[in-house]
Amino acid sequence: MRARPALTPRRLWLWLAAGAVFAVGAAVLALFLGMPELDLGTALSDASSWQYAALHKLQLPRISQGLVVGATLAASGAALQGLLRNPLADPFILGVSGGAALGSAAVTLVGFGTALVAPLGGFLGAMGALLVVTALATEAGRIAPLRMLLIGVVFNALAGAGLMVLQALADPGAVQLTLMRLMGSVGADPSEPLLLPILTVASGVGLVAMLLSARGLNLLALGDDTARSLGVSPDRLRLVLFVVISVAVGATVAVTGLIGFVGLIVPHAVRLVVGPDHRLVLPLSALVGAGFVVVADASVSALAPALGTELPVGVVTALVGGPLFLALLRHRPTRVAE
Amino acid sequence: MTRVVQRAPAPWVALVVVAAALGGCGRGAGQVPAPTPRVVSLVPAASAIIDALGAKAHLVGVTRYCAVTGPPVIGGMDARPEAVLAQDPDLVVLGDYPSQAALREQLTALGLNAVAPSFVGIDDLRAAVTRLGAALGREAAAAALVAALDRDLALAKERAASRRPVKVLLVYDVQQGYVYTTGGGDHLGALLDLCGARNIAQGGPLTTRLALDAVLARGPELILHVAPGEAYPDDAAARAYWKSLPEVPAVRAGHVYVWPDDHLAQNGPWIGAAALQLSDLLDRVAGAP
Protein backbone atom coordinates (compact mmCIF):
# COMPACT_ATOMS: atom_id res chain seq x y z
CA MET A 1 0.00 0.00 0.00
CA ARG A 2 1.34 3.40 -0.99
CA ALA A 3 2.14 5.68 1.95
CA ARG A 4 0.45 9.06 2.11
CA PRO A 5 2.63 12.14 1.81
CA ALA A 6 3.38 13.90 5.08
CA LEU A 7 1.12 16.79 6.05
CA THR A 8 2.94 19.88 4.84
CA PRO A 9 1.51 23.38 5.29
CA ARG A 10 0.97 23.52 1.51
CA ARG A 11 -0.97 20.26 1.49
CA LEU A 12 -2.98 21.37 4.51
CA TRP A 13 -4.00 24.69 2.96
CA LEU A 14 -4.72 23.14 -0.42
CA TRP A 15 -7.14 20.67 1.13
CA LEU A 16 -8.73 23.34 3.31
CA ALA A 17 -9.17 25.59 0.28
CA ALA A 18 -10.83 22.70 -1.54
CA GLY A 19 -13.09 22.14 1.47
CA ALA A 20 -13.98 25.82 1.65
CA VAL A 21 -14.83 25.85 -2.07
CA PHE A 22 -17.09 22.85 -1.48
CA ALA A 23 -18.87 24.50 1.47
CA VAL A 24 -19.32 27.85 -0.27
CA GLY A 25 -20.36 26.12 -3.51
CA ALA A 26 -22.94 24.14 -1.54
CA ALA A 27 -24.29 27.33 0.02
CA VAL A 28 -24.63 29.02 -3.39
CA LEU A 29 -26.22 25.92 -4.87
CA ALA A 30 -28.64 25.79 -1.92
CA LEU A 31 -29.72 29.35 -2.63
CA PHE A 32 -30.97 28.38 -6.07
CA LEU A 33 -31.97 24.78 -5.37
CA GLY A 34 -33.74 25.58 -2.11
CA MET A 35 -36.01 28.28 -3.48
CA PRO A 36 -36.26 28.17 -7.29
CA GLU A 37 -38.90 30.93 -7.37
CA LEU A 38 -36.44 33.39 -5.83
CA ASP A 39 -35.45 36.19 -8.21
CA LEU A 40 -32.02 37.10 -6.87
CA GLY A 41 -32.02 40.53 -8.54
CA THR A 42 -35.26 41.55 -6.82
CA ALA A 43 -34.21 39.87 -3.58
CA LEU A 44 -31.04 41.94 -3.44
CA SER A 45 -32.42 45.28 -4.60
CA ASP A 46 -36.07 45.69 -3.58
CA ALA A 47 -36.28 45.81 0.22
CA SER A 48 -40.07 46.01 0.10
CA SER A 49 -40.48 42.75 -1.83
CA TRP A 50 -41.31 39.39 -0.29
CA GLN A 51 -38.24 38.05 -2.11
CA TYR A 52 -36.00 40.35 -0.09
CA ALA A 53 -37.53 39.02 3.11
CA ALA A 54 -37.30 35.44 1.86
CA LEU A 55 -33.59 35.86 1.15
CA HIS A 56 -32.54 37.86 4.21
CA LYS A 57 -34.86 36.53 6.90
CA LEU A 58 -35.23 32.93 5.82
CA GLN A 59 -32.87 31.57 3.16
CA LEU A 60 -29.58 33.06 4.38
CA PRO A 61 -30.21 32.22 8.07
CA ARG A 62 -31.30 28.71 7.05
CA ILE A 63 -28.17 28.16 5.00
CA SER A 64 -26.03 29.61 7.81
CA GLN A 65 -27.69 27.26 10.29
CA GLY A 66 -27.02 24.32 7.98
CA LEU A 67 -23.35 25.28 7.70
CA VAL A 68 -22.93 25.63 11.47
CA VAL A 69 -24.78 22.41 12.27
CA GLY A 70 -22.98 20.38 9.60
CA ALA A 71 -19.56 21.65 10.67
CA THR A 72 -20.28 20.94 14.34
CA LEU A 73 -21.62 17.43 13.84
CA ALA A 74 -18.89 16.34 11.42
CA ALA A 75 -15.99 17.77 13.44
CA SER A 76 -17.48 16.38 16.68
CA GLY A 77 -17.72 12.95 15.09
CA ALA A 78 -14.11 13.11 13.95
CA ALA A 79 -12.91 14.26 17.38
CA LEU A 80 -14.90 11.64 19.27
CA GLN A 81 -13.70 8.84 17.02
CA GLY A 82 -10.14 9.89 17.84
CA LEU A 83 -10.84 10.51 21.49
CA LEU A 84 -12.56 7.16 22.10
CA ARG A 85 -10.42 5.33 19.53
CA ASN A 86 -13.65 3.92 18.17
CA PRO A 87 -14.64 4.29 14.52
CA LEU A 88 -18.35 4.01 15.36
CA ALA A 89 -18.37 6.93 17.76
CA ASP A 90 -20.64 9.73 16.60
CA PRO A 91 -21.73 13.00 18.23
CA PHE A 92 -24.86 11.42 19.66
CA ILE A 93 -23.24 8.44 21.33
CA LEU A 94 -22.46 10.04 24.70
CA GLY A 95 -26.09 10.38 25.70
CA VAL A 96 -26.34 13.96 24.53
CA SER A 97 -28.93 13.14 21.87
CA GLY A 98 -31.09 11.18 24.29
CA GLY A 99 -30.92 13.93 26.91
CA ALA A 100 -31.68 16.66 24.41
CA ALA A 101 -34.56 14.73 22.87
CA LEU A 102 -36.05 13.97 26.28
CA GLY A 103 -35.65 17.58 27.48
CA SER A 104 -37.11 19.05 24.33
CA ALA A 105 -40.01 16.59 24.25
CA ALA A 106 -40.73 17.06 27.94
CA VAL A 107 -41.23 20.82 27.70
CA THR A 108 -43.20 20.44 24.46
CA LEU A 109 -45.47 17.64 25.63
CA VAL A 110 -46.23 19.12 29.02
CA GLY A 111 -47.24 22.29 27.27
CA PHE A 112 -44.34 24.71 27.47
CA GLY A 113 -43.08 24.10 23.96
CA THR A 114 -42.89 27.60 22.58
CA ALA A 115 -40.35 28.35 19.91
CA LEU A 116 -37.61 29.28 22.38
CA VAL A 117 -38.51 27.01 25.29
CA ALA A 118 -38.24 23.75 23.35
CA PRO A 119 -34.59 24.37 22.36
CA LEU A 120 -33.84 25.47 25.90
CA GLY A 121 -35.36 22.26 27.26
CA GLY A 122 -33.30 20.31 24.75
CA PHE A 123 -30.11 22.05 25.77
CA LEU A 124 -30.75 21.50 29.48
CA GLY A 125 -31.50 17.85 28.74
CA ALA A 126 -28.20 17.51 26.88
CA MET A 127 -26.27 19.11 29.71
CA GLY A 128 -28.00 16.90 32.26
CA ALA A 129 -27.01 13.87 30.20
CA LEU A 130 -23.43 15.09 30.03
CA LEU A 131 -23.27 15.47 33.81
CA VAL A 132 -24.75 12.05 34.51
CA VAL A 133 -22.67 10.20 31.91
CA THR A 134 -19.41 11.93 32.90
CA ALA A 135 -20.00 11.36 36.60
CA LEU A 136 -20.74 7.67 36.10
CA ALA A 137 -17.77 7.18 33.77
CA THR A 138 -15.25 8.79 36.09
CA GLU A 139 -13.11 6.50 38.22
CA ALA A 140 -10.53 7.91 40.61
CA GLY A 141 -10.66 11.25 38.83
CA ARG A 142 -10.15 9.71 35.40
CA ILE A 143 -12.65 9.26 32.60
CA ALA A 144 -12.72 5.68 31.32
CA PRO A 145 -13.46 6.03 27.56
CA LEU A 146 -14.98 2.61 26.98
CA ARG A 147 -17.10 2.93 30.11
CA MET A 148 -18.27 6.37 28.96
CA LEU A 149 -19.24 4.95 25.60
CA LEU A 150 -21.29 2.17 27.17
CA ILE A 151 -22.94 4.50 29.68
CA GLY A 152 -23.80 6.85 26.82
CA VAL A 153 -25.48 4.03 24.92
CA VAL A 154 -27.42 2.94 28.01
CA PHE A 155 -28.39 6.54 28.79
CA ASN A 156 -29.73 7.01 25.26
CA ALA A 157 -31.80 3.86 25.64
CA LEU A 158 -33.18 5.08 29.00
CA ALA A 159 -33.96 8.48 27.50
CA GLY A 160 -35.77 6.67 24.68
CA ALA A 161 -37.90 4.86 27.26
CA GLY A 162 -38.66 8.16 29.01
CA LEU A 163 -39.66 9.62 25.67
CA MET A 164 -42.09 6.76 25.11
CA VAL A 165 -43.67 7.36 28.53
CA LEU A 166 -44.19 11.02 27.66
CA GLN A 167 -45.64 10.10 24.29
CA ALA A 168 -48.03 7.62 25.84
CA LEU A 169 -49.36 10.32 28.16
CA ALA A 170 -49.50 13.18 25.68
CA ASP A 171 -51.99 14.37 23.11
CA PRO A 172 -51.50 12.48 19.80
CA GLY A 173 -51.17 15.73 17.83
CA ALA A 174 -48.43 17.00 20.14
CA VAL A 175 -46.65 13.66 19.89
CA GLN A 176 -46.63 13.83 16.10
CA LEU A 177 -45.18 17.33 16.14
CA THR A 178 -42.55 16.37 18.72
CA LEU A 179 -41.48 13.41 16.62
CA MET A 180 -41.16 15.69 13.59
CA ARG A 181 -39.00 18.05 15.64
CA LEU A 182 -36.71 15.21 16.74
CA MET A 183 -36.28 13.95 13.18
CA GLY A 184 -33.93 16.84 12.52
CA SER A 185 -34.66 19.99 10.55
CA VAL A 186 -32.68 22.98 9.46
CA GLY A 187 -34.94 26.01 9.34
CA ALA A 188 -34.97 29.72 10.01
CA ASP A 189 -37.44 31.16 12.49
CA PRO A 190 -37.45 34.96 12.24
CA SER A 191 -39.48 35.20 15.45
CA GLU A 192 -36.46 33.84 17.36
CA PRO A 193 -33.53 35.83 15.96
CA LEU A 194 -31.28 34.87 18.90
CA LEU A 195 -31.26 31.14 18.21
CA LEU A 196 -28.75 31.23 15.36
CA PRO A 197 -26.24 33.49 17.16
CA ILE A 198 -26.44 31.34 20.33
CA LEU A 199 -25.97 28.19 18.27
CA THR A 200 -23.06 29.75 16.38
CA VAL A 201 -21.27 30.78 19.58
CA ALA A 202 -21.73 27.36 21.24
CA SER A 203 -20.61 25.56 18.10
CA GLY A 204 -17.80 28.02 17.43
CA VAL A 205 -16.28 27.51 20.88
CA GLY A 206 -16.51 23.76 20.40
CA LEU A 207 -14.93 23.89 16.94
CA VAL A 208 -12.03 26.06 18.10
CA ALA A 209 -11.38 23.73 21.05
CA MET A 210 -11.43 20.71 18.75
CA LEU A 211 -9.05 22.32 16.25
CA LEU A 212 -6.65 23.28 19.03
CA SER A 213 -6.70 19.66 20.26
CA ALA A 214 -5.75 18.15 16.91
CA ARG A 215 -2.13 17.45 17.87
CA GLY A 216 -3.21 15.92 21.18
CA LEU A 217 -5.67 13.65 19.37
CA ASN A 218 -2.89 12.50 17.04
CA LEU A 219 -0.74 11.57 20.05
CA LEU A 220 -3.66 9.90 21.79
CA ALA A 221 -3.93 7.54 18.82
CA LEU A 222 -0.54 6.16 19.86
CA GLY A 223 -1.85 5.23 23.30
CA ASP A 224 -2.33 7.04 26.61
CA ASP A 225 1.18 6.31 27.88
CA THR A 226 2.89 7.55 24.74
CA ALA A 227 0.70 10.66 24.71
CA ARG A 228 1.56 11.32 28.35
CA SER A 229 5.29 10.89 27.70
CA LEU A 230 5.01 13.48 24.91
CA GLY A 231 3.40 16.06 27.17
CA VAL A 232 -0.31 15.50 26.57
CA SER A 233 -2.60 14.73 29.49
CA PRO A 234 -5.15 12.24 28.10
CA ASP A 235 -7.56 12.75 31.01
CA ARG A 236 -7.56 16.50 30.72
CA LEU A 237 -7.90 16.37 26.94
CA ARG A 238 -10.84 13.96 27.20
CA LEU A 239 -12.61 16.00 29.85
CA VAL A 240 -12.23 19.30 27.98
CA LEU A 241 -13.29 17.83 24.65
CA PHE A 242 -16.22 15.87 26.08
CA VAL A 243 -17.54 19.05 27.67
CA VAL A 244 -17.12 21.37 24.68
CA ILE A 245 -18.41 18.76 22.22
CA SER A 246 -21.41 18.04 24.41
CA VAL A 247 -22.22 21.74 24.72
CA ALA A 248 -21.90 22.26 20.96
CA VAL A 249 -23.82 19.12 20.02
CA GLY A 250 -26.40 19.76 22.75
CA ALA A 251 -27.05 23.23 21.32
CA THR A 252 -27.29 21.73 17.84
CA VAL A 253 -29.74 19.00 18.80
CA ALA A 254 -31.78 21.48 20.83
CA VAL A 255 -32.25 23.75 17.81
CA THR A 256 -32.42 21.28 14.92
CA GLY A 257 -33.24 17.88 16.40
CA LEU A 258 -31.27 14.78 15.47
CA ILE A 259 -29.53 14.98 12.10
CA GLY A 260 -27.96 11.58 11.87
CA PHE A 261 -25.00 10.13 10.00
CA VAL A 262 -23.21 13.46 9.42
CA GLY A 263 -20.82 12.82 12.30
CA LEU A 264 -20.20 9.28 11.14
CA ILE A 265 -20.01 9.38 7.37
CA VAL A 266 -18.15 12.66 6.83
CA PRO A 267 -15.10 11.97 9.04
CA HIS A 268 -14.74 8.48 7.56
CA ALA A 269 -14.93 9.79 4.01
CA VAL A 270 -12.43 12.55 4.80
CA ARG A 271 -10.03 10.13 6.50
CA LEU A 272 -10.26 7.83 3.53
CA VAL A 273 -9.10 10.60 1.22
CA VAL A 274 -6.55 12.54 3.28
CA GLY A 275 -5.41 10.08 5.94
CA PRO A 276 -5.78 10.06 9.71
CA ASP A 277 -3.95 13.26 10.73
CA HIS A 278 -6.41 15.21 12.91
CA ARG A 279 -4.80 18.53 11.98
CA LEU A 280 -6.36 18.05 8.55
CA VAL A 281 -9.23 15.66 9.34
CA LEU A 282 -10.89 17.98 11.87
CA PRO A 283 -11.11 21.21 9.82
CA LEU A 284 -11.77 19.39 6.57
CA SER A 285 -14.56 17.35 8.18
CA ALA A 286 -16.09 20.61 9.43
CA LEU A 287 -16.05 22.10 5.93
CA VAL A 288 -17.33 18.98 4.18
CA GLY A 289 -19.96 18.41 6.88
CA ALA A 290 -21.16 21.99 6.48
CA GLY A 291 -21.55 21.56 2.73
CA PHE A 292 -23.16 18.13 3.10
CA VAL A 293 -25.92 19.34 5.44
CA VAL A 294 -26.62 22.43 3.35
CA VAL A 295 -26.97 20.41 0.14
CA ALA A 296 -29.13 17.81 1.92
CA ASP A 297 -31.35 20.59 3.25
CA ALA A 298 -31.64 22.24 -0.15
CA SER A 299 -32.63 18.91 -1.64
CA VAL A 300 -35.59 18.57 0.74
CA SER A 301 -36.75 22.03 -0.36
CA ALA A 302 -36.27 21.09 -4.01
CA LEU A 303 -38.29 17.92 -3.52
CA ALA A 304 -41.11 19.71 -1.68
CA PRO A 305 -43.18 20.71 -4.76
CA ALA A 306 -43.21 17.11 -5.94
CA LEU A 307 -43.96 15.63 -2.51
CA GLY A 308 -46.31 18.41 -1.40
CA THR A 309 -44.43 18.63 1.91
CA GLU A 310 -40.89 19.21 3.19
CA LEU A 311 -39.17 16.16 4.64
CA PRO A 312 -36.95 16.66 7.65
CA VAL A 313 -33.32 16.91 6.54
CA GLY A 314 -32.41 14.17 9.04
CA VAL A 315 -34.35 11.74 6.85
CA VAL A 316 -32.22 12.67 3.84
CA THR A 317 -28.87 12.48 5.66
CA ALA A 318 -29.84 9.05 6.96
CA LEU A 319 -31.08 7.86 3.57
CA VAL A 320 -27.91 9.07 1.84
CA GLY A 321 -25.45 8.50 4.69
CA GLY A 322 -26.47 4.94 5.54
CA PRO A 323 -25.90 3.36 2.11
CA LEU A 324 -22.83 5.54 1.55
CA PHE A 325 -21.29 4.30 4.79
CA LEU A 326 -22.03 0.71 3.84
CA ALA A 327 -20.45 1.28 0.44
CA LEU A 328 -17.34 2.76 2.06
CA LEU A 329 -17.05 -0.23 4.39
CA ARG A 330 -17.50 -2.63 1.52
CA HIS A 331 -14.88 -1.07 -0.73
CA ARG A 332 -12.26 -0.15 1.85
CA PRO A 333 -13.02 -2.17 4.98
CA THR A 334 -9.58 -1.95 6.54
CA ARG A 335 -8.95 1.71 5.96
CA VAL A 336 -12.40 2.80 7.08
CA ALA A 337 -12.00 0.80 10.26
CA GLU A 338 -8.70 2.52 10.88
CA MET B 1 -59.36 -46.58 40.37
CA THR B 2 -59.10 -42.85 40.52
CA ARG B 3 -60.15 -41.15 43.68
CA VAL B 4 -61.73 -37.75 43.38
CA VAL B 5 -60.75 -35.64 46.33
CA GLN B 6 -62.93 -32.64 47.06
CA ARG B 7 -61.01 -29.92 48.79
CA ALA B 8 -62.25 -26.78 50.48
CA PRO B 9 -61.96 -23.66 48.27
CA ALA B 10 -58.63 -21.85 48.64
CA PRO B 11 -58.76 -18.53 50.50
CA TRP B 12 -57.91 -16.55 47.30
CA VAL B 13 -61.02 -17.92 45.62
CA ALA B 14 -63.12 -16.44 48.41
CA LEU B 15 -61.32 -13.13 48.03
CA VAL B 16 -62.00 -13.06 44.27
CA VAL B 17 -65.70 -13.80 44.87
CA VAL B 18 -65.96 -11.01 47.44
CA ALA B 19 -64.10 -8.57 45.18
CA ALA B 20 -66.34 -9.43 42.24
CA ALA B 21 -69.42 -8.93 44.37
CA LEU B 22 -68.15 -5.57 45.60
CA GLY B 23 -67.27 -4.55 42.02
CA GLY B 24 -70.74 -5.49 40.87
CA CYS B 25 -72.24 -3.43 43.67
CA GLY B 26 -69.97 -0.50 42.87
CA ARG B 27 -71.20 -0.05 39.29
CA GLY B 28 -74.75 0.59 40.31
CA ALA B 29 -74.19 2.31 43.63
CA GLY B 30 -75.42 5.87 43.48
CA GLN B 31 -75.50 5.91 39.66
CA VAL B 32 -78.30 5.62 37.19
CA PRO B 33 -77.46 2.56 35.08
CA ALA B 34 -76.71 3.33 31.43
CA PRO B 35 -79.48 2.39 29.00
CA THR B 36 -78.87 -0.35 26.48
CA PRO B 37 -76.86 -0.29 24.30
CA ARG B 38 -73.86 0.63 26.42
CA VAL B 39 -71.30 2.44 24.28
CA VAL B 40 -67.59 3.09 24.70
CA SER B 41 -66.32 5.83 22.38
CA LEU B 42 -62.60 6.11 21.71
CA VAL B 43 -63.00 8.99 19.23
CA PRO B 44 -63.74 12.53 20.47
CA ALA B 45 -65.84 13.31 17.37
CA ALA B 46 -67.93 10.16 17.90
CA SER B 47 -68.53 11.08 21.53
CA ALA B 48 -69.68 14.52 20.42
CA ILE B 49 -72.01 13.03 17.82
CA ILE B 50 -73.56 10.70 20.40
CA ASP B 51 -74.02 13.68 22.69
CA ALA B 52 -75.58 15.72 19.87
CA LEU B 53 -77.99 12.85 19.19
CA GLY B 54 -79.20 13.21 22.77
CA ALA B 55 -77.74 9.81 23.67
CA LYS B 56 -75.06 10.77 26.15
CA ALA B 57 -76.57 8.42 28.71
CA HIS B 58 -75.47 5.51 26.51
CA LEU B 59 -71.82 6.42 26.91
CA VAL B 60 -70.11 4.25 29.52
CA GLY B 61 -66.53 5.12 28.56
CA VAL B 62 -64.77 7.94 26.70
CA THR B 63 -61.19 9.14 26.15
CA ARG B 64 -59.52 11.96 28.01
CA TYR B 65 -59.67 13.99 24.78
CA CYS B 66 -63.47 13.81 24.57
CA ALA B 67 -65.27 17.04 25.46
CA VAL B 68 -68.34 15.18 26.72
CA THR B 69 -68.52 15.39 30.49
CA GLY B 70 -70.03 12.75 32.75
CA PRO B 71 -69.08 9.35 31.32
CA PRO B 72 -66.00 7.70 32.86
CA VAL B 73 -62.69 8.42 31.18
CA ILE B 74 -60.99 5.11 30.42
CA GLY B 75 -57.74 6.32 28.82
CA GLY B 76 -56.46 7.87 25.64
CA MET B 77 -57.34 6.94 22.09
CA ASP B 78 -55.19 3.84 22.62
CA ALA B 79 -57.04 2.72 25.74
CA ARG B 80 -56.21 -0.74 27.09
CA PRO B 81 -58.58 -3.51 25.97
CA GLU B 82 -59.08 -4.45 29.63
CA ALA B 83 -60.32 -0.94 30.39
CA VAL B 84 -62.82 -1.19 27.54
CA LEU B 85 -63.89 -4.68 28.57
CA ALA B 86 -64.45 -3.52 32.14
CA GLN B 87 -67.24 -1.21 30.96
CA ASP B 88 -69.14 -4.22 29.57
CA PRO B 89 -70.05 -2.34 26.36
CA ASP B 90 -72.47 -3.45 23.67
CA LEU B 91 -70.73 -1.22 21.15
CA VAL B 92 -67.21 0.22 20.94
CA VAL B 93 -66.66 3.13 18.52
CA LEU B 94 -63.15 3.63 17.18
CA GLY B 95 -61.90 5.61 14.22
CA ASP B 96 -60.66 4.20 10.94
CA TYR B 97 -57.14 5.21 11.93
CA PRO B 98 -54.03 3.03 11.54
CA SER B 99 -53.20 3.79 15.18
CA GLN B 100 -56.45 2.15 16.33
CA ALA B 101 -56.43 -0.81 13.92
CA ALA B 102 -54.67 -3.19 16.32
CA LEU B 103 -56.97 -2.22 19.19
CA ARG B 104 -60.01 -2.85 17.03
CA GLU B 105 -58.72 -6.34 16.19
CA GLN B 106 -58.07 -7.07 19.86
CA LEU B 107 -61.53 -5.92 20.90
CA THR B 108 -63.17 -7.95 18.13
CA ALA B 109 -61.16 -11.00 19.22
CA LEU B 110 -62.51 -10.45 22.73
CA GLY B 111 -66.02 -10.74 21.33
CA LEU B 112 -66.89 -7.04 21.47
CA ASN B 113 -68.83 -5.25 18.76
CA ALA B 114 -66.22 -2.71 17.61
CA VAL B 115 -67.00 -0.39 14.72
CA ALA B 116 -64.54 2.04 13.09
CA PRO B 117 -66.20 4.66 10.91
CA SER B 118 -63.98 7.15 9.10
CA PHE B 119 -63.94 10.75 10.32
CA VAL B 120 -61.67 12.23 7.64
CA GLY B 121 -64.05 14.03 5.29
CA ILE B 122 -67.47 15.68 5.58
CA ASP B 123 -69.13 12.76 3.79
CA ASP B 124 -67.58 10.53 6.44
CA LEU B 125 -69.14 12.71 9.12
CA ARG B 126 -72.61 12.35 7.58
CA ALA B 127 -72.15 8.56 7.36
CA ALA B 128 -70.91 8.35 10.96
CA VAL B 129 -73.90 10.34 12.26
CA THR B 130 -76.32 8.10 10.39
CA ARG B 131 -74.57 4.91 11.51
CA LEU B 132 -74.39 5.90 15.16
CA GLY B 133 -78.00 7.10 15.08
CA ALA B 134 -79.08 3.70 13.78
CA ALA B 135 -77.01 1.86 16.39
CA LEU B 136 -78.56 3.89 19.20
CA GLY B 137 -82.11 3.88 17.89
CA ARG B 138 -81.93 7.62 17.23
CA GLU B 139 -82.53 7.59 13.47
CA ALA B 140 -84.74 10.68 13.52
CA ALA B 141 -82.24 12.71 15.53
CA ALA B 142 -79.46 11.60 13.19
CA ALA B 143 -81.45 12.62 10.13
CA ALA B 144 -82.14 16.01 11.70
CA LEU B 145 -78.46 16.46 12.52
CA VAL B 146 -77.40 15.64 8.96
CA ALA B 147 -80.09 17.96 7.57
CA ALA B 148 -78.88 20.81 9.79
CA LEU B 149 -75.29 20.16 8.72
CA ASP B 150 -76.26 20.19 5.04
CA ARG B 151 -78.29 23.37 5.50
CA ASP B 152 -75.34 25.21 7.05
CA LEU B 153 -72.92 23.93 4.44
CA ALA B 154 -75.25 24.96 1.63
CA LEU B 155 -75.51 28.43 3.12
CA ALA B 156 -71.72 28.69 3.37
CA LYS B 157 -71.41 27.63 -0.26
CA GLU B 158 -74.00 30.17 -1.33
CA ARG B 159 -72.10 32.94 0.44
CA ALA B 160 -68.87 31.83 -1.23
CA ALA B 161 -70.38 32.42 -4.65
CA SER B 162 -70.53 36.17 -4.05
CA ARG B 163 -67.01 36.46 -2.62
CA ARG B 164 -63.62 36.49 -4.36
CA PRO B 165 -61.39 33.49 -3.54
CA VAL B 166 -59.15 34.12 -0.54
CA LYS B 167 -55.74 32.44 -0.17
CA VAL B 168 -55.66 30.73 3.23
CA LEU B 169 -53.00 29.08 5.37
CA LEU B 170 -54.45 26.82 8.07
CA VAL B 171 -51.96 26.21 10.87
CA TYR B 172 -51.77 23.23 13.20
CA ASP B 173 -48.49 24.42 14.65
CA VAL B 174 -45.33 26.34 13.82
CA GLN B 175 -41.93 25.18 14.98
CA GLN B 176 -38.31 25.37 13.83
CA GLY B 177 -39.30 27.63 10.95
CA TYR B 178 -41.87 25.19 9.58
CA VAL B 179 -45.64 25.38 9.47
CA TYR B 180 -47.67 22.20 9.91
CA THR B 181 -50.88 22.45 7.94
CA THR B 182 -53.39 20.43 5.95
CA GLY B 183 -52.72 19.49 2.35
CA GLY B 184 -56.44 18.99 1.75
CA GLY B 185 -58.21 15.65 1.49
CA ASP B 186 -59.75 16.04 4.95
CA HIS B 187 -62.72 17.98 6.32
CA LEU B 188 -60.62 21.16 6.57
CA GLY B 189 -59.71 20.99 2.89
CA ALA B 190 -63.36 20.34 2.04
CA LEU B 191 -64.49 23.28 4.18
CA LEU B 192 -62.04 25.66 2.50
CA ASP B 193 -63.17 24.44 -0.90
CA LEU B 194 -66.82 24.81 0.02
CA CYS B 195 -66.28 28.30 1.41
CA GLY B 196 -64.51 29.39 -1.75
CA ALA B 197 -61.06 29.70 -0.20
CA ARG B 198 -57.78 28.52 -1.68
CA ASN B 199 -55.61 26.35 0.52
CA ILE B 200 -52.01 27.38 -0.17
CA ALA B 201 -50.81 23.89 0.79
CA GLN B 202 -53.37 22.12 -1.40
CA GLY B 203 -52.05 18.86 -2.84
CA GLY B 204 -49.81 17.92 0.07
CA PRO B 205 -50.32 15.05 2.50
CA LEU B 206 -52.93 15.26 5.28
CA THR B 207 -50.30 16.84 7.55
CA THR B 208 -48.15 19.00 5.30
CA ARG B 209 -44.95 20.68 6.40
CA LEU B 210 -44.20 24.01 4.76
CA ALA B 211 -41.05 26.06 5.25
CA LEU B 212 -41.71 29.71 6.01
CA ASP B 213 -40.12 30.74 2.72
CA ALA B 214 -42.78 28.68 0.92
CA VAL B 215 -45.41 30.57 2.95
CA LEU B 216 -43.84 33.85 1.87
CA ALA B 217 -43.79 32.79 -1.77
CA ARG B 218 -47.45 31.67 -1.73
CA GLY B 219 -48.65 34.80 0.05
CA PRO B 220 -51.70 33.77 2.11
CA GLU B 221 -54.26 36.51 2.83
CA LEU B 222 -55.59 34.72 5.91
CA ILE B 223 -53.56 32.77 8.45
CA LEU B 224 -55.80 30.73 10.69
CA HIS B 225 -54.51 28.59 13.56
CA VAL B 226 -57.14 25.85 13.64
CA ALA B 227 -57.26 25.47 17.43
CA PRO B 228 -55.83 27.28 20.43
CA GLY B 229 -52.61 25.67 21.66
CA GLU B 230 -50.14 26.25 24.45
CA ALA B 231 -47.86 28.41 22.30
CA TYR B 232 -50.65 30.23 20.46
CA PRO B 233 -53.68 30.42 22.75
CA ASP B 234 -55.25 33.47 21.10
CA ASP B 235 -55.03 35.96 18.24
CA ALA B 236 -52.55 38.17 20.07
CA ALA B 237 -50.07 35.32 20.61
CA ALA B 238 -50.31 34.21 16.98
CA ARG B 239 -49.86 37.78 15.73
CA ALA B 240 -46.84 38.19 17.99
CA TYR B 241 -45.26 35.22 16.27
CA TRP B 242 -46.11 36.25 12.71
CA LYS B 243 -45.18 39.90 13.11
CA SER B 244 -41.60 39.06 12.13
CA LEU B 245 -42.87 38.39 8.61
CA PRO B 246 -44.90 41.49 7.66
CA GLU B 247 -44.22 40.69 4.00
CA VAL B 248 -46.93 38.02 4.19
CA PRO B 249 -50.19 39.70 3.05
CA ALA B 250 -52.20 38.19 5.94
CA VAL B 251 -49.75 39.55 8.51
CA ARG B 252 -49.59 42.98 6.89
CA ALA B 253 -53.39 43.25 6.90
CA GLY B 254 -53.76 41.87 10.44
CA HIS B 255 -55.63 38.78 9.27
CA VAL B 256 -54.00 36.30 11.64
CA TYR B 257 -56.46 34.50 13.89
CA VAL B 258 -56.74 31.56 16.26
CA TRP B 259 -59.98 29.57 16.14
CA PRO B 260 -61.31 29.87 19.68
CA ASP B 261 -62.04 26.15 20.24
CA ASP B 262 -61.40 22.81 18.57
CA HIS B 263 -64.65 22.86 16.58
CA LEU B 264 -62.79 23.55 13.35
CA ALA B 265 -59.93 21.10 13.91
CA GLN B 266 -62.24 18.23 14.84
CA ASN B 267 -64.65 16.82 12.29
CA GLY B 268 -67.68 16.74 14.57
CA PRO B 269 -71.35 17.68 14.58
CA TRP B 270 -70.46 21.38 14.89
CA ILE B 271 -68.83 21.56 11.43
CA GLY B 272 -71.85 23.25 9.84
CA ALA B 273 -71.69 26.09 12.37
CA ALA B 274 -67.91 26.26 11.90
CA ALA B 275 -68.40 26.64 8.14
CA LEU B 276 -70.61 29.69 8.73
CA GLN B 277 -68.10 31.22 11.14
CA LEU B 278 -65.36 30.61 8.59
CA SER B 279 -67.51 32.37 6.00
CA ASP B 280 -67.73 35.40 8.29
CA LEU B 281 -63.95 35.46 8.56
CA LEU B 282 -63.48 35.10 4.81
CA ASP B 283 -65.98 37.93 4.22
CA ARG B 284 -63.88 40.14 6.46
CA VAL B 285 -60.65 39.24 4.65
CA ALA B 286 -62.15 39.62 1.18
CA GLY B 287 -63.68 42.95 2.16
CA ALA B 288 -67.16 41.68 1.31
CA PRO B 289 -70.17 43.49 2.77
Side-chain angles (χ1 to χ4, degrees), chain B residues 19-73:
Chain B
L22 285 173
C25 292
R27 176 188 283 170
Q31 289 178 14
V32 179
T36 303
R38 297 164 58 83
V39 181
V40 166
S41 167
L42 298 179
V43 181
S47 305
I49 290 170
I50 292 168
D51 189 18
L53 293 174
K56 189 168 97 170
H58 287 272
L59 285 170
V60 294
V62 293
T63 74
R64 60 173 169 269
Y65 308 115
C66 296
V68 178
T69 53
V73 173

Side-chain angles (χ1 to χ4, degrees), chain A residues 101-110 159-171 175 178, chain B residues 64-65:
Chain A
L102 189 60
S104 177
V107 293
T108 306
L109 295 179
V110 300
L163 209 55
M164 276 189 252
V165 171
L166 283 175
Q167 287 168 8
L169 296 174
D171 173 68
V175 169
T178 306
Chain B
R64 60 173 169 269
Y65 308 115

